[in-house]
Amino acid sequence: MSKEMAPKYDHLAVEENRYQSWLDKGYFTAGDTSKHPYCMVIPPPNVTGKLHLGHAWDTTIQDILARYKRMRGYDVLWLPGMDHAGIATQAKVDARLKEEGISRYDIGREKFLERAWEWKEEYASTIRSQWAKLGLSLDYTRERFTLDEGLSKAVRKTFVDLYNDGLIYQGERIINWDPEAKTALSNIEVEHKEIPGHMYYFKYKVVETGKELVIATTRPETMFADQAIFVHPDDDRYKDIVGLHAINPANGDELPIMADDYIDMSFGTAVMKCTPAHDPNDFALAKKYHLPMPICMNPDGTMNDLCGKYAGMDRFACREALVKDFEAAGVVDHIEEHAHQVGHSQRTGVIVEPYLSKQWFVKMKPLAEEVLKCQQDEDQKIHFVPARFEKTFTQWLENIEDWCISRQLWWGHRIPAWTNKDTGEIYVGMEDPKDTETWIQDEDVLDTWFSSGLWPFSTLGWPEDTPDLERYFPNDTLVTGYDIIFFWVARMAFQTRFAMHDRPFKDVLIHGLVRDSQGRKMSKSLGNGIDPMDVIQEKGADALRFFLTTNSTPGQDVRYDETKVDAAWNFINKIWNAARYVQMQVGDEKPVLDPEHLSSSDKWILSRFNEVLRHVTDNMEKYELAIVGNELYNFVWNDFCSWYIELSKATLFSEDPKVVASTKAVLYTVMINILKLLSPFMPFVTEEIYLDLPHDKESLNVESWPETIAFAYTDAEKEEMNLVMSTIETVREVKTNYDMKPSRDLTISLRDEKGGWHELSKDANAVLNKMCHGHNVDDLHTDDILSRTLGQFVFTCAMGDLIDVEKEKAKLTKEIDRLNKEIKRANGMLHNPGFVSKAPEAKVNQEREKLAKYQQELGLTEKQLNELLSK
C-alpha cells in the first residue's frame, strides 16, 4: 500500500476524479455476452433545467440495482437518455428570446429549432455533470435523446403503423388548451386545483312570452358562443317554454330553448346554456342536435371578434367587465361564492381552457384492452412493486379516453402527415412526398410522451433488428415515481404492446415523492425545494444516496430530513474509521482466513456476517432497499464496530500467533465484504477504502457479490458467545449503576437453570476479562448477591455493602410484570385462530419461540426474587 489511509474522509477530494476514471476504464459499458443480460433504462429527465431530488432518488435506486446485478454476474445495460420536453423546452427558449427582444416568429421555425438545439446541448451537459456527481454507473456509449435520428425513425414508424391500423385519426373535439403555450394538452397534463370563484346567475328573457329565466354559469366570458338553452323534458317548471327562444344578454342572439334528459333537475335552476366550442358536455349535446359550434376566444386566451366591444380583452378581464356591465343593466339575479376544481396546465401553470380544435388523436380502447388482457398472463404482465399500484394502472386503462397527441409547437417530432393543397387528400408515410410544392406537411408536432412511450425498445435500435434489441428487450426493471404511472408507464405499456407484441419491462419499482420535513410537496411557491447538488457539495453523494434509498419503503413518500442525511454522513465516517483500524492491523499484505484457527469471537462475527449476507441478498431481490440499508447499518455499527473491533483487541494480544493471525484475517475479510455489500449504496467511499486496503481487483466495480464464509460453528459455541456478550453488557450496567470504575475487577458467577455453575471456555474467559474485567467463578462465597436473568442463565455477582435490596426487589418485580405481559400477549396471538391460520408459518413459530423464552426467563426471575425475599 502506497499511503496510509487519511485520518478524515474528504468526500470532495474522492468524488471529483474517481467517477471519470470509472468511465475511462469502461466499467459500466454493457456487452459481455458470456453473462446473463439485465437491462434498465434511466427515466429520461427533460432538458429544461437541473435535476431535482425525486430524479436523484429514482436514479440512485436504479444505480444500486445496476451495481448489485453486475456484482451478481449479470451483463447490465443501464442506458442513459434525455427527453426533449416539447412544451417546457419551447417555453424556456421563448423566454430566452424574449430577453433578447425577439420572438420565435421573428426568426422563423428553422432558426428557432437551432436555438432549441443549443439549449439542449447546454442543459444536457449540466445533467450529465449532475449524473456524475451522483455516481451513476451509466453506459454513455449508448446514450439516447428523444429527438435523435434513431428515435425519430421509431416515432415515424409507430405513427404510420397506428394510422394505417385505424388507431390514429384527425378530428374536431373539445380539448384542453394552454393559452400560454398556445397548444393542446392531453388530459393527464392537466392538474385540477380547487380555487375560489363565483357562480353567476343571469336573467334571460323569453322572446315569445317575456318571462325571465335564470341561468347559472361560472364562465360568463364564453356566453358569446352560446347556441342554445336546455331544460329537462320532465321538468314541469319549463315544459311550456320548450321550443321557444330566449335572448342571450351578452350579444342579443335569440337562443332556442330545447329539452334533453342530460340536464340535472336538482342542480342550480335546472336551466343550462349550451356553449359547444368551450365545454365537452355542451359539445356532445351540440353534436346530438347538430348545433353550430362557434369559438369566441383566440388561442392566446383573449376574446375574438364575436365578442364585440370586449374583443381583444383577456378572458378574465372580459369576465369582470361583462359582469360589471350586466349589473348595470339589471341582468344579474345574484352571485354566489363558489369554490370549484379548475384545470391548470402542468407545463405552464395557467388555467386550461376547454376549446374546440382540430387535432390528432390515438384511439385508446383497443390498445388498452390488449395491455389489460396481458396483465392476466403471468409471463406477459408487468409486475408492480408494491403490487397495489397495478390496480392504479389497470383502473386508468379501463377508463381511458382517446389521447390527443398533436401539439401546436415547433420543438418536437413533426407529425408525418401531409395534405394535398389541390385535392385535400391526406398522406401519412415513412418518406416525405417528393412533390413538396403540392403536399403541405402538418405544422404540429407530437406530444413528448409519444416518443417517450417508445423508450424501452426504440433506444435499443428499433425499428432496426439490432443485437442490443435482441439481447436486452424486454427490459428487466424500471424505477419511477407513482406520479407518472399514467404519463409514462401506461404509455410504454400500450405502445410496446402494439409495436413489439410484448411487455416493455418485467418489473416496475414504484417510489413516492420527496417531501419537506413537514410532509409538504416541494415547490417554488413554498420555497422549500432542496437542490441535491447542494447536499452533495456539503455532505457528499454517498450520504445523499444512502439517505434517499434507506428511509422509505417502496411506494411511500420520503421526507427530506437533514438530521438523517447527517446520520448517513456519520455512518460513512464510522465505516472510514473502522477501515482505518483494520488497515493498521493488517498492513499491506492480504491476510488469509484459516477456518481451523478461529476464536469464539471470530466465529460469532463471521456467523453474523453470513446471516446478514443472506438477508441482504434476499431483500435486494425484493427491492427492499430500506430493509437492506437498516440491516447493514446495524451490522456495521453495532456488530462489527461496537462489538467485534472491541473483541478483537482481546485476541490480537494473544500469545498464540495463530489466534492473532486469525483475528487479523477476520477483520480484513469482514471489512472487505462490508465494502462489497455497501458499494451499490455508497460507491465513492467504499472504492476509496477498498483501494487503500489489500485488494484482489483493480476496482470494486469489477468485484463479485460476497459469498457465504464456510467454517465449523456449533450451537454450543454460538450460545456461549451470546452469553459472554450478554454478560459483558450486564457487568458494564452494574458498574455504571453502582458508580464503579470500568477497570475494576468484578467477580461473577454464571448459573444454569438448575443452579449449577456454567464454566466458560478459555477463549470466552479471555474475552470477558479483556472487555469488562469480569471473572467467572464457581462460588462467590457469599449470599449477598445481585442477580440478573440472561436467557436460560442467571448472572450473579457479590455486591457487599453496595447492594440496595429494596431497589433489587423493585427491579425484579418490574421484570416479572413485563414478562407476564409478554406471555399474555404471545398466548393471545397463538390462541387466535385467525393469526395461526393466516400468518406465515415462520411468524407463528417465532411467536412460539418467544413464548417459551419468556416462560423460561419468568421462572428464573421469580426464583431470584424468592431468594432475595427469603434473606
Side-chain angles (χ1 to χ4, degrees):
M1 203 174 322
S2 60
K3 65 185 180 72
E4 207 175 291
M5 194 173 291
K8 183 179 179 183
Y9 177 54
D10 182 353
H11 73 272
L12 291 175
V14 169
E15 295 168 7
E16 188 171 354
N17 299 315
R18 183 71 70 196
Y19 185 77
Q20 189 57 48
S21 72
W22 292 339
L23 295 182
D24 293 342
K25 291 175 182 176
Y27 291 147
F28 312 138
T29 303
D32 187 343
T33 55
S34 66
K35 296 178 179 179
H36 186 73
Y38 184 86
C39 183
M40 302 169 68
V41 288
I42 192 169
N46 65 58
V47 290
T48 58
K50 294 181 178 180
L51 302 182
H52 51 74
L53 271 175
H55 192 80
W57 188 6
D58 59 36
T59 52
T60 298
I61 292 172
Q62 286 200 300
D63 189 49
I64 289 170
L65 297 176
R67 290 174 181 274
Y68 165 71
K69 287 294 184 179
R70 287 192 197 96
M71 295 183 82
R72 293 301 302 273
Y74 288 81
D75 170 31
V76 176
L77 170 58
W78 191 24
L79 187 149
M82 299 178 204
D83 193 316
H84 65 276
I87 298 174
T89 301
Q90 179 151 319
K92 295 284 188 181
V93 179
D94 278 340
R96 182 173 284 185
L97 291 173
K98 188 176 181 180
E99 290 174 2
E100 299 173 18
I102 56 175
S103 74
R104 68 175 183 268
Y105 302 106
D106 295 326
I107 61 176
R109 188 168 192 146
E110 294 304 316
K111 289 291 183 183
F112 174 81
L113 291 177
E114 288 177 13
R115 297 292 294 270
W117 277 102
E118 289 172 7
W119 173 280
K120 180 265 177 185
E121 292 305 323
E122 178 184 342
Y123 279 88
S125 175
T126 300
I127 289 169
R128 290 190 200 99
S129 170
Q130 293 172 330
W131 283 342
K133 288 181 179 179
L134 278 168
L136 306 185
S137 57
L138 296 159
D139 183 352
Y140 284 101
T141 66
R142 291 172 165 90
E143 183 180 345
R144 301 302 299 271
F145 179 56
T146 49
L147 281 179
D148 67 30
E149 186 176 346
L151 265 291
S152 296
K153 187 174 182 180
V155 166
R156 181 174 282 203
K157 177 167 174 55
T158 304
F159 186 96
V160 171
D161 289 348
L162 285 166
Y163 181 82
N164 290 337
D165 282 5
L167 295 173
I168 282 183
Y169 65 93
Q170 193 178 29
E172 277 199 322
R173 289 176 53 178
I174 296 287
I175 49 87
N176 303 296
W177 185 261
D178 182 330
E180 176 73 23
K182 293 190 274 297
T183 183
L185 303 172
S186 65
N187 289 342
I188 59 173
E189 290 173 304
V190 178
E191 183 178 1
H192 287 85
K193 303 176 186 178
E194 185 174 283
I195 62 172
H198 297 88
M199 182 71 79
Y200 302 92
Y201 291 81
F202 298 141
K203 302 170 186 175
Y204 287 65
K205 184 172 288 187
V206 177
V207 174
E208 289 84 355
T209 67
K211 179 181 178 180
E212 284 187 342
L213 292 173
V214 176
I215 303 176
T217 181
T218 58
R219 299 162 65 214
E221 67 277 9
T222 64
M223 289 173 63
F224 301 100
D226 288 354
Q227 294 302 299
I229 292 170
F230 279 90
V231 296
H232 196 283
D234 299 332
D235 195 332
D236 291 335
R237 292 171 293 177
Y238 304 116
K239 278 185 176 180
D240 61 334
I241 63 170
V242 174
L244 305 183
H245 299 80
I247 302 296
N248 182 346
N251 56 12
D253 285 354
E254 293 187 7
L255 304 175
I257 301 171
M258 307 172 73
D260 192 274
D261 58 12
Y262 167 77
I263 306 304
D264 182 356
M265 288 191 286
S266 65
F267 182 76
T269 62
V271 185
M272 188 192 86
K273 71 184 192 68
C274 179
T275 319
H278 294 276
D279 183 279
N281 299 315
D282 295 6
F283 173 76
L285 280 173
K287 286 190 72 174
K288 182 176 180 180
Y289 294 104
H290 308 290
L291 298 174
M293 301 182 186
I295 298 169
C296 66
M297 202 175 294
N298 296 314
D300 64 355
T302 59
M303 309 311 293
N304 67 17
D305 291 342
L306 274 184
C307 307
K309 71 174 186 177
Y310 306 99
M313 294 179 69
D314 174 78
R315 52 187 169 153
F316 300 120
C318 172
R319 177 186 299 179
E320 187 177 339
L322 184 63
V323 171
K324 188 176 180 180
D325 288 347
F326 278 1
E327 286 176 326
V331 172
V332 177
D333 184 80
H334 68 286
I335 301 173
E336 296 175 351
E337 298 289 329
H338 179 68
H340 54 155
Q341 293 286 328
V342 177
H344 290 70
S345 169
Q346 286 195 330
R347 301 304 183 186
T348 63
V350 302
I351 291 177
V352 167
E353 192 66 37
Y355 200 72
L356 180 63
S357 180
K358 188 175 184 181
Q359 303 285 343
W360 291 90
F361 297 88
V362 175
K363 203 176 288 184
M364 290 305 308
K365 272 281 189 239
L367 296 170
E369 285 168 358
E370 278 298 306
V371 175
L372 289 168
K373 183 174 71 176
C374 291
Q375 284 301 108
Q376 306 304 312
D377 182 345
E378 193 65 26
D379 293 330
Q380 280 294 305
K381 73 178 294 185
I382 299 169
H383 297 271
F384 283 81
V385 182
R388 68 179 184 273
F389 285 103
E390 182 178 355
K391 186 176 181 181
T392 305
F393 173 73
T394 56
Q395 282 184 337
W396 187 73
L397 289 171
E398 287 166 353
N399 297 286
I400 203 163
E401 298 177 2
D402 286 358
W403 174 20
C404 176
I405 55 171
S406 47
R407 299 290 180 269
Q408 289 62 56
L409 305 171
W410 288 354
W411 176 244
H413 292 281
R414 196 162 172 185
I415 290 176
W418 289 259
T419 302
N420 188 302
K421 65 180 183 181
D422 296 328
T423 66
E425 177 188 356
I426 293 178
Y427 162 74
V428 172
M430 289 296 293
E431 304 298 329
D432 294 5
K434 293 179 181 177
D435 184 2
T436 56
E437 294 288 328
T438 305
W439 293 92
I440 308 299
Q441 186 172 3
D442 197 301
E443 289 287 323
D444 292 349
V445 300
L446 288 164
D447 179 7
T448 300
W449 296 104
F450 192 95
S451 51
S452 296
L454 311 178
W455 197 254
F457 54 95
S458 62
T459 53
L460 300 174
W462 187 87
E464 306 302 325
D465 189 13
T466 66
D468 276 0
L469 189 65
E470 174 69 24
R471 182 164 176 75
Y472 298 112
F473 181 84
N475 308 158
D476 292 274
T477 307
L478 170 76
V479 180
T480 194
Y482 59 65
D483 54 328
I484 60 170
I485 290 176
F486 309 142
F487 282 98
W488 194 37
V489 179
R491 277 163 168 63
M492 287 189 285
F494 62 71
Q495 287 187 270
T496 304
R497 177 61 53 189
F498 174 77
M500 303 296 293
H501 310 293
D502 205 337
R503 57 185 170 183
F505 22 72
K506 298 164 189 171
D507 294 341
V508 179
L509 174 58
I510 300 293
H511 64 75
L513 302 176
V514 184
R515 299 185 178 274
D516 70 9
S517 58
Q518 299 177 46
R520 301 175 301 178
K521 190 173 181 180
M522 291 186 176
S523 68
K524 289 181 179 178
S525 60
L526 290 175
N528 61 349
I530 301 291
D531 187 337
M533 298 303 117
D534 291 342
V535 182
I536 289 173
Q537 180 70 22
E538 183 180 354
K539 299 291 192 324
D542 289 334
L544 177 62
R545 287 167 62 106
F546 196 74
F547 160 73
L548 285 173
T549 54
T550 60
N551 278 278
S552 175
T553 56
Q556 298 298 315
D557 293 346
V558 66
R559 292 191 180 194
Y560 182 80
D561 185 338
E562 191 171 354
T563 61
K564 290 184 177 180
V565 182
D566 289 338
W569 169 250
N570 291 334
F571 180 45
I572 289 167
N573 276 302
K574 188 78 169 178
I575 299 162
W576 182 263
N577 292 330
R580 189 163 175 248
Y581 171 80
V582 172
Q583 185 207 28
M584 289 167 61
Q585 307 310 319
V586 304
D588 292 339
E589 295 298 321
K590 174 185 173 184
V592 179
L593 186 67
D594 181 0
E596 300 299 320
H597 295 93
L598 298 173
S599 69
S600 56
S601 53
D602 293 339
K603 290 183 178 182
W604 170 76
I605 193 64
L606 292 176
S607 172
R608 282 290 298 124
F609 169 76
N610 284 342
E611 289 176 16
V612 169
L613 173 62
R614 184 175 69 254
H615 296 160
V616 164
T617 305
D618 288 347
N619 283 303
M620 287 294 287
E621 294 295 330
K622 297 174 186 174
Y623 306 112
E624 293 285 1
L625 302 188
I627 295 175
V628 171
N630 290 329
E631 178 133 18
L632 289 175
Y633 182 95
N634 290 327
F635 175 70
V636 173
W637 196 288
N638 298 324
D639 296 337
F640 187 65
C641 295
S642 297
W643 274 108
Y644 184 70
I645 284 181
E646 293 305 310
L647 291 168
S648 73
K649 293 172 183 176
T651 51
L652 283 171
F653 293 99
S654 170
E655 294 178 359
D656 187 344
K658 290 182 178 178
V659 172
V660 175
S662 174
T663 300
K664 289 183 177 181
V666 171
L667 278 168
Y668 171 81
T669 300
V670 176
M671 187 74 244
I672 284 292
N673 281 315
I674 284 172
L675 296 178
K676 291 178 181 179
L677 293 176
L678 281 170
S679 63
F681 291 85
M682 43 183 73
F684 290 110
V685 69
T686 53
E687 175 83 340
E688 189 73 4
I689 294 171
Y690 178 84
L691 296 178
D692 276 340
L693 289 169
H695 49 277
D696 294 327
K697 303 288 180 69
E698 65 176 2
S699 169
L700 257 180
N701 289 287
V702 293
E703 270 283 11
S704 299
W705 192 247
E707 295 181 354
T708 300
I709 300 166
F711 65 98
Y713 194 33
T714 66
D715 288 343
E717 288 176 307
K718 184 177 183 179
E719 288 170 7
E720 181 178 69
M721 194 61 203
N722 288 334
L723 175 60
V724 168
M725 292 170 70
S726 296
T727 303
I728 291 168
E729 288 177 328
T730 304
V731 170
R732 288 172 173 171
E733 176 195 340
V734 168
K735 288 182 177 181
T736 299
N737 289 344
Y738 291 95
D739 297 322
M740 298 180 191
K741 291 182 178 180
S743 60
R744 175 175 170 174
D745 288 337
L746 192 66
T747 304
I748 68 168
S749 186
L750 296 171
R751 300 280 163 180
D752 62 27
E753 54 190 327
K754 295 179 180 178
W757 179 50
H758 183 77
E759 187 176 3
L760 298 173
S761 67
K762 182 181 177 182
D763 267 1
N765 271 318
V767 169
L768 188 62
N769 295 343
K770 182 69 178 176
M771 294 292 288
C772 66
H773 294 272
H775 304 278
N776 182 29
V777 299
D778 184 5
D779 192 347
L780 294 173
H781 300 292
T782 179
D783 292 332
D784 191 6
I785 62 171
L786 174 148
S787 61
R788 295 283 185 271
T789 303
L790 304 180
Q792 59 183 340
F793 298 96
V794 174
F795 165 97
T796 60
C797 66
M799 294 302 295
D801 295 333
L802 290 174
I803 191 166
D804 182 333
V805 175
E806 294 306 316
K807 186 182 287 187
E808 282 306 305
K809 288 179 184 177
K811 283 184 179 179
L812 292 170
T813 302
K814 185 177 180 181
E815 178 64 5
I816 288 168
D817 184 55
R818 184 190 73 83
L819 290 167
N820 276 319
K821 287 178 180 176
E822 289 293 349
I823 289 168
K824 183 179 180 181
R825 182 198 60 79
N827 270 321
M829 291 182 71
L830 292 170
H831 285 87
N832 180 349
F835 172 73
V836 176
S837 62
K838 295 179 181 178
E841 185 179 354
K843 177 68 175 173
V844 176
N845 290 336
Q846 185 182 48
E847 283 302 320
R848 288 182 178 134
E849 290 170 5
K850 284 182 181 179
L851 177 60
K853 174 174 169 287
Y854 295 143
Q855 288 170 332
Q856 184 182 53
E857 289 179 358
L858 178 64
L860 289 170
T861 308
E862 287 176 336
K863 183 180 178 182
Q864 295 167 54
L865 180 60
N866 290 333
E867 288 175 354
L868 198 60
L869 292 171
S870 67
K871 292 177 182 178

